[in-house]
């Protein structure tokens, strides 16, 4: 192994030695503790330390780095106290996740480390968002994100690199090419010779370096950083290395040829660097032994401290409240002057006024800039707010949702417009696993609103008509908002943008231009989590939201003899249970109406809650009226048959007659 000192001083060379030794010695201790059953799982980074340490050492303390499961060296090099790391590994309160997530699955703003979720790939798009924020701040900072070679097979890798390339983001994508993804060798994972070859395809510079040589890694990143911090652009940095132990400790290395392990053992990054320092007379054996003994003591003391901390004390209320960042509604009163607006215009109005209110608000979506979005919600925005804030995106739903989290981490609010709610399936993973879970896991909020043009009735077939709100009501950590009228839509959208938590905001596209109403002209807020009693009656409670509200209103209009409470939920999560229960206790009968399919629709939850909480007040079983359990069909007649609109009236009357 060839080490190049370049202009590094002896002090710096020794500092790097201590840095690379730290994760090695910590890990040696962890392997013992693992065998003793004191920690539960361990993903070894032995043999790969030069990458974690060399990269991190080349960054400033306030530059973000996004490590993976083998990057202990990132944490030690950033100066995360060992005692807290050890508490984290043991699921203690002094760790970083209050015992809620394991190992390296956490971030810490203090140390500018953003940890992974198990799904590997989403990490890359989060780096895009962080880097975008830095680029917009013009602060010359760069972001570094890691992936293993196996992780590059995921679509998220492609999307994140593509977005970074199109947006010229200052990100270094470090690929640790260590030969295996779990048990799968590289030959079964990808066909390219080197990952650096992919650079051309993405339109970015790419380099392959020796990942076991700390000086090579350190100087490569230093140089690249200098280059891209003032001239923002993404880089692929492929670091050749080898995974010396099993994927995680219990899985072993039987499938790896012994010769391969032996050959790479010769290239051990710590031992080789140590030999180099000795041969160059930068350090003596005695000095090295002294460093090791000081470090050993520090590790032992830190472990003892972490171990002596008591176990977590259960606080059930905190478990529930920590899914969201604390936030209190501030009412901004509606003005008296109003104008007649269609739903689409009210949403556009609320969005525009939010842009005027929040300098740090960005919207991202396909065709939303000059084109104004397929539903024209952002028509004219780019002229008023500029291309930095009104951002056309490539067709990369997953990377853009991940980038939205990155923006939030680095001080921005964002809205993402799904072109159609159906396409959210291509961005599902980062929503339900990253946006939704991050605050609960390590206290980082995701200040993101995903706008979802949803619903059927426009003969658009199975992939442009779905009601998929129940995919998200089932996921703790998200809020789900679904207005039915222009006035509510504007106030709720403004409030959703003010709220620092991740919000799925449903907009029924068939109501966009068919539903109008008087909308206050000013910037005002409508509280999330509050239903509205649209009609008061005595005989039945009709509970609905979105298009269902309009169907129910039609039926009540045609049947003036029916005396019903009509509840517009407006928000599904958090659900206004009090409003529902007090109405049902009064009427004794309830019907839940929604456009979504019956099985697994949100109505199932409402029905069961009513049965449980209002049982002794009920005069009949709670009824549901919902779409058929089929995909949404295209032809008008089939679609009409699919939707519950024409079945609702008879179901309601049957219930009243019971
Ligand atoms: C989406 C997803 N699929 C599968 C896994 C299981 N898994 C965890 S790590 C891993 C191998 C990753 O290989 P690589 O990216 O090369 O990183 P390395 O472990 O070699 O450092 C697999 C298959 C996962 N965590 N997420």
């Amino acid at each position: 192994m060839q080490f190049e000192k370049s202009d590094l001083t002896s002090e710096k060379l020794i500092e790097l030695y201590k840095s690379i030794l730290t994760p090695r010695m910590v890990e040696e201790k962890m392997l013992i503790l693992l065998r003793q059953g004191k920690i539960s799982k361990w993903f070894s980074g032995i043999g790969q330390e030069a990458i974690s340490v060399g990269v991190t050492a080349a960054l400033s303390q306030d530059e973000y780095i996004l490590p993976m499961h083998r990057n202990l060296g990132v944490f030690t090099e950033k100066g995360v106290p060992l005692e807290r790391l050890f508490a984290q590994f043991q699921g203690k309160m002094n760790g970083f996740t209050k015992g809620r997530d394991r190992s390296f699955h956490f971030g810490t703003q203090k140390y500018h480390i953003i940890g992974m979720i198990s799904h590997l790939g989403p990490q890359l798009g989060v780096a895009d968002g962080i880097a975008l924020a830095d680029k917009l701040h013009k602060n010359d900072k760069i972001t570094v994100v890691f992936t293993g070679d196996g992780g590059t097979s995921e679509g998220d890798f492609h999307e994140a690199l593509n977005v970074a390339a199109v947006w010229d983001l200052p990100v270094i994508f470090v690929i640790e090419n260590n030969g295996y993804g779990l048990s799968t060798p590289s030959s079964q994972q990808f066909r390219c010779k080197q990952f650096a070859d992919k650079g051309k395809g993405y339109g970015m510079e790419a380099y392959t370096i020796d990942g076991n040589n700390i000086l090579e890694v350190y100087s490569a990143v230093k140089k690249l950083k200098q280059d891209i911090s003032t001239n923002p652009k993404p880089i692929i940095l492929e670091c050749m290395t080898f995974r010396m132990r099993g994927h995680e400790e219990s899985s072993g290395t039987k499938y790896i040829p012994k010769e391969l392990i032996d050959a790479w053992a010769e290239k051990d990054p710590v031992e080789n660097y140590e030999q180099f320092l000795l041969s160059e007379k930068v350090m003596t054996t005695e000095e090295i032994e002294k460093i090791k003994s000081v470090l050993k003591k520090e590790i032992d003391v830190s472990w003892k401290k972490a171990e002596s901390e008591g176990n977590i004390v259960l606080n059930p209320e905190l478990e529930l409240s920590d899914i969201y960042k604390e936030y209190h509604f501030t009412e901004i009163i509606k003005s008296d002057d109003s104008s007649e607006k269609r739903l689409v215009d009210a949403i556009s109005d609320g969005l525009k006024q939010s842009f005027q209110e929040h300098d740090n608000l960005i919207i991202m979506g396909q065709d939303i800039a000059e084109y104004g979005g397929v539903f024209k919600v952002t028509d004219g925005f780019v002229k008023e707010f500029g291309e930095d804030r009104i951002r056309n995106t490539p067709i990369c739903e997953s990377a853009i949702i991940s980038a939205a989290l990155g923006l939030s981490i680095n001080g921005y609010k964002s809205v993402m417009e799904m072109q159609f709610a159906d396409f959210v399936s291509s961005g599902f993973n980062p929503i339900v696993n990253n946006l939704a879970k991050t605050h609960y896991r390590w206290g980082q909020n995701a200040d993101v609103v995903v706008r979802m043009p949803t619903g059927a009735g426009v003969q658009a077939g199975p992939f442009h008509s779905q009601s998929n709100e129940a995919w998200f009501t089932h996921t703790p950590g998200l809020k789900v908002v679904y207005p039915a009228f222009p006035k509510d839509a504007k106030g709720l959208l403004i409030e959703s943008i003010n709220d620092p938590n991740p919000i799925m905001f449903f907009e029924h596209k068939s109501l966009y231009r068919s539903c109008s109403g008087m909308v206050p002209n000013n910037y005002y807020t409508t509280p999330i989590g509050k239903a509205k009693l649209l009609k008061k009656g005595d005989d039945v409670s009709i509970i609905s939201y979105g298009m269902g509200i309009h169907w129910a209103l039609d039926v009540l209009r045609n049947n003036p003899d029916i005396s019903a409470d009509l509840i517009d939920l407006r928000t599904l999560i958090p659900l206004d249970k009090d409003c529902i229960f007090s109405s049902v206790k009064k009427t004794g009968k309830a019907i839940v109406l929604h456009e979504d399919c019956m099985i697994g629709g949100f109505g199932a939850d409402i029905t069961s809650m009513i049965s449980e909480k209002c049982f002794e007040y009920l005069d009949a079983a709670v009824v549901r009226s919902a779409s058929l359990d089929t995909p949404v069909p295209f032809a008008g007649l089939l679609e009409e048959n699919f939707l519950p609109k024409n079945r609702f009236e008879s179901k309601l009357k049957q219930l009243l007659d019971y």
Side-chain angles (χ1 to χ4, degrees):
M1 203 179 287
Q2 274 302 102
F3 287 96
E4 294 286 337
K5 269 200 283 188
S6 336
D7 54 356
L8 297 176
T9 61
S10 292
E11 286 72 34
K12 187 71 205 175
L13 293 170
I14 295 170
E15 195 183 308
L16 286 172
Y17 175 68
K18 288 181 189 163
S19 292
I20 196 170
L21 191 61
T22 306
R24 173 66 58 94
M25 287 186 63
V26 168
E27 192 171 328
E28 281 166 356
K29 172 93 178 173
M30 293 304 114
L31 293 176
I32 295 168
L33 293 166
L34 186 77
R35 283 193 284 276
Q36 295 172 349
K38 296 197 170 165
I39 55 170
S40 63
K41 218 169 174 76
W42 190 257
F43 294 88
S44 174
I46 284 184
Q48 299 184 211
E49 297 96 334
I51 306 170
S52 305
V53 172
V55 169
T56 314
L59 298 184
S60 314
Q61 190 58 21
D62 60 357
E63 281 172 313
Y64 282 100
I65 190 160
L66 293 87
M68 298 301 288
H69 46 287
R70 295 191 202 290
N71 297 124
L72 170 63
V74 168
F75 296 83
T76 52
E77 186 57 18
K78 277 275 192 188
V80 177
L82 293 181
E83 180 190 338
R84 288 203 68 196
L85 264 185
F86 297 157
Q88 167 66 20
F89 300 155
Q90 293 177 90
K92 300 229 166 138
M93 205 63 183
N94 193 34
F96 290 87
T97 62
K98 301 182 187 166
R100 292 169 185 166
D101 207 342
R102 69 184 197 195
S103 59
F104 298 117
H105 291 187
F106 69 92
T108 144
Q109 283 282 8
K110 183 170 178 196
Y111 298 96
H112 286 75
I113 296 173
I114 304 304
M116 65 186 289
I117 62 168
S118 288
H119 298 65
L120 316 168
Q123 193 69 336
L124 299 152
V126 177
D128 283 355
I130 293 174
L132 173 60
D134 280 334
K135 186 176 170 181
L136 296 175
H137 282 133
K138 295 191 172 54
N139 60 16
D140 294 348
K141 289 183 193 164
I142 72 157
T143 301
V144 175
V145 60
F146 289 79
T147 176
D149 48 280
T152 66
S153 299
E154 290 189 59
D156 278 307
F157 173 82
H158 167 72
E159 289 195 13
L161 267 69
N162 189 50
V163 169
V166 171
W167 288 355
D168 290 321
L169 300 177
V171 185
I172 300 180
F173 295 96
V174 175
I175 302 171
E176 292 187 85
N177 191 345
N178 67 1
Y180 284 83
L182 216 155
S183 74
T184 306
S186 300
S187 59
Q188 293 171 30
Q189 191 73 250
F190 47 84
R191 269 287 176 265
C192 63
K193 203 160 154 230
Q194 296 289 166
F195 283 100
D197 296 340
K198 293 203 176 213
K200 199 169 170 106
Y202 289 111
M204 62 173 80
E205 285 173 34
Y207 304 93
T208 300
I209 61 171
D210 179 355
N212 280 25
N213 182 330
I214 186 163
L215 297 188
E216 191 169 331
V217 175
Y218 175 76
S219 58
V221 176
K222 270 260 170 223
K223 192 185 156 304
L224 292 173
K225 171 177 143 80
Q226 219 167 27
D227 187 11
I228 68 172
S229 61
T230 47
N231 173 26
K233 60 184 172 187
I235 305 277
I236 292 175
L237 184 64
E238 176 183 24
C239 299
M240 301 308 295
T241 185
F242 197 73
R243 202 192 68 205
M244 297 301 290
R245 301 185 67 88
H247 168 64
E248 43 87 32
E249 281 309 303
S250 60
S251 63
T253 53
K254 267 197 194 133
Y255 48 85
I256 306 178
K258 188 171 175 307
E259 313 81 75
L260 207 51
I261 298 184
D262 291 346
W264 277 93
E266 296 289 310
K267 300 183 202 169
D268 184 276
V270 181
E271 283 168 19
N272 276 282
Y273 186 51
E274 195 177 288
Q275 283 310 315
F276 164 73
L277 295 177
L278 286 170
S279 66
E280 289 287 309
K281 304 206 178 346
V282 177
M283 297 178 84
T284 62
T285 316
E286 292 71 39
E287 283 166 334
I288 286 176
E289 285 315 313
K290 187 150 180 245
I291 288 173
K292 286 184 178 170
S293 110
V294 170
L295 194 52
K296 183 175 180 318
K297 205 177 237 163
E298 188 195 337
I299 294 169
D300 288 343
V301 168
S302 302
W303 175 260
K304 284 223 166 71
K305 275 197 204 157
E307 204 180 24
S308 66
E309 184 192 336
N311 285 331
I312 295 242
V313 178
L314 180 64
N315 178 348
E317 274 153 43
L318 187 68
E319 288 306 294
L320 287 173
S321 64
D322 261 4
I323 61 167
Y324 298 129
K325 178 171 177 165
E326 193 175 344
Y327 170 75
H328 299 286
F329 172 66
T330 309
E331 184 164 20
I332 301 168
I333 309 278
K334 301 170 186 72
S335 62
D336 289 336
D337 62 314
S338 307
S339 326
E340 171 94 2
K341 281 195 164 60
R342 300 173 302 177
L343 184 80
V344 69
D345 304 321
I347 289 169
S348 180
D349 202 31
L351 195 56
K352 186 180 275 188
Q353 290 179 359
S354 294
F355 268 92
Q356 289 156 352
E357 183 73 16
H358 301 284
D359 289 342
N360 66 341
L361 176 63
I362 284 177
I363 182 165
M364 301 179 283
Q366 290 150 26
D367 310 289
I368 62 158
E370 289 77 11
Y371 189 69
V374 292
F375 296 105
K376 301 295 167 204
V377 170
T378 52
D379 204 15
F381 277 40
V382 81
K383 258 205 191 96
E384 187 171 347
F385 304 110
E387 284 176 354
D388 279 351
R389 298 179 69 194
I390 314 298
R391 305 187 74 87
N392 267 347
T393 70
I395 308 168
C396 295
E397 283 81 2
S398 190
I400 297 300
I401 293 286
S402 298
L405 175 60
L407 282 168
S408 179
I409 286 167
N410 207 358
Y412 278 83
K413 284 178 170 291
S414 65
V415 173
M416 186 205 171
E417 177 177 294
M418 277 294 156
Q419 198 156 66
F420 286 82
D422 307 67
F423 303 145
V424 77
S425 45
S426 294
F428 190 70
N429 183 34
I431 294 177
V432 301
N433 283 316
N434 228 347
L435 297 191
K437 296 180 177 42
T438 305
H439 192 268
Y440 176 75
R441 290 168 55 239
W442 58 274
Q444 172 62 52
N445 67 307
D447 197 345
V448 179
V449 177
V450 183
R451 289 189 34 242
M452 301 277 283
T454 192
V458 288
Q459 295 187 35
F463 307 114
H464 289 77
S465 310
Q466 290 171 83
S467 291
N468 51 23
E469 63 274 13
W471 295 356
F472 305 101
T473 52
H474 181 64
T475 304
L478 300 173
K479 296 187 183 181
V480 181
V481 177
Y482 202 149
F485 298 100
K487 188 164 140 188
D488 285 342
K490 178 175 170 183
L492 281 167
L493 180 59
I494 289 174
E495 180 57 12
S496 297
I497 291 168
N498 287 343
D499 190 318
N501 291 292
I503 293 175
M504 305 302 292
F505 191 89
F506 286 84
E507 306 167 4
H508 202 296
K509 57 187 187 287
S510 142
L511 293 175
Y512 268 155
R513 289 174 168 78
S514 65
C515 174
S516 300
M518 293 306 284
V519 177
N521 293 327
N522 72 323
Y523 175 87
Y524 63 89
T525 50
T526 303
I528 289 171
K530 288 266 172 269
K532 192 170 181 182
L533 194 57
L534 291 182
K535 281 194 177 297
K536 277 194 187 162
D538 299 318
D539 298 339
V540 65
S541 302
I542 304 170
I543 300 142
S544 190
Y545 56 91
M547 183 57 95
I549 290 293
H550 297 274
W551 294 331
L553 281 170
D554 277 351
V555 168
L556 293 179
R557 211 172 291 124
N558 295 334
N559 294 276
D561 49 317
I562 296 178
S563 174
D565 265 3
L566 174 59
I567 297 173
D568 178 2
L569 292 174
R570 303 196 294 184
T571 303
L572 307 187
I573 303 287
L575 181 66
D576 190 347
K577 294 177 195 161
D578 290 347
C579 176
I580 298 171
F581 296 157
S582 63
S583 168
V584 175
K585 284 177 184 172
K586 179 185 72 176
T587 63
K589 287 183 178 175
I591 180 165
V592 185
L593 166 65
H594 59 52
E595 182 179 325
D596 197 359
C597 300
M598 181 79 84
I599 293 184
F602 192 55
D605 282 287
I606 299 173
T607 308
S608 121
M609 284 176 210
I610 295 172
S611 304
E612 194 178 333
K613 299 289 177 195
C614 308
F615 185 68
E616 51 278 41
Y617 298 86
L618 288 174
D619 296 325
V622 187
V623 175
R624 278 185 290 160
S625 182
S627 285
L628 299 183
D629 290 310
T630 70
V632 188
F634 158 62
L637 193 65
L638 297 180
E639 191 181 43
E640 214 173 292
N641 176 61
F642 164 82
L643 293 169
K645 184 179 177 196
N646 297 332
R647 293 185 292 273
F648 171 65
E649 184 168 345
S650 65
K651 275 213 165 179
L652 175 66
K653 286 181 174 168
Q654 271 172 27
L655 175 62
L656 285 163
D657 288 346
Y658 180 83

